[in-house]
Amino acid sequence: AGSPEQDRLVELFQEKDLELIPVISPITTAFRINKKIKPKLRQGQVVYATARTGQTGKKSDLEDPEIVDRIKFLKENLADYKLAIGFGIREKSQVEFLNNQGITAVIGSQIVREINQAIEAKEVLQKAVSRFINNIK
């Protein structure tokens, strides 16, 4: 069981028909996943995992043995859930790498960069972000 605050937050989300998506960090253990996180999830729910520790926005090398091992660990421990991975995802090759494993890629910092570049270039934000998304998928 989680804290009373966490339990109440889950209740509030359920009341509004929203899904609270848990975040799994690279230091989250199998024990914590199985005893603390899974009991609060419904089958097939999305679980977000960060690919690595460190600063957000820095490119992640998804073929790094540590990240490869972490993805394997996550797939084994969260087989009944939809896995989404982010933190340093910014290139089409990274999206394809994850998608080929049945994992959804999450892109945050790079979209913020695209927005900032569009603002500086006085470009329409929607066009800039759409172009980036179309090029990466």
Side-chain angles (χ1 to χ4, degrees), residues 25-91:
S25 79
I27 61 169
T28 303
T29 64
F31 175 82
R32 179 153 177 76
I33 288 172
N34 291 306
K35 298 295 181 190
K36 300 286 186 178
I37 297 170
K38 277 184 176 180
K40 297 196 177 293
L41 302 176
R42 64 170 177 71
Q43 189 169 357
Q45 181 174 335
V46 173
V47 177
Y48 172 69
T50 56
R52 58 175 174 74
T53 58
Q55 182 180 358
T56 185
K58 180 181 172 190
K59 183 180 172 191
S60 291
D61 177 4
L62 298 179
E63 295 182 20
D64 177 292
E66 189 174 320
I67 293 177
V68 169
D69 287 347
R70 189 65 185 171
I71 290 172
K72 181 180 176 190
F73 166 84
L74 292 166
K75 288 175 74 174
E76 288 171 357
N77 284 280
L78 296 164
D80 294 332
Y81 306 94
K82 295 176 187 168
L83 189 56
I85 291 182
F87 217 75
I89 309 301
R90 65 169 72 154
E91 295 177 357

Side-chain angles (χ1 to χ4, degrees), residues 83-116:
L83 189 56
I85 291 182
F87 217 75
I89 309 301
R90 65 169 72 154
E91 295 177 357
K92 186 173 187 164
S93 61
Q94 293 171 303
V95 173
E96 289 171 344
F97 179 87
L98 293 171
N99 288 174
N100 287 337
Q101 296 187 60
I103 299 170
T104 299
V106 177
I107 303 168
S109 295
Q110 186 60 38
I111 290 177
V112 171
R113 277 191 206 93
E114 297 293 328
I115 290 169
N116 288 332

Side-chain angles (χ1 to χ4, degrees), residues 11-27:
E11 286 175 21
L12 289 170
F13 269 68
Q14 290 171 344
E15 287 172 12
K16 301 295 182 187
D17 199 26
L18 297 172
E19 189 169 292
L20 183 62
I21 298 174
V23 177
I24 308 289
S25 79
I27 61 169

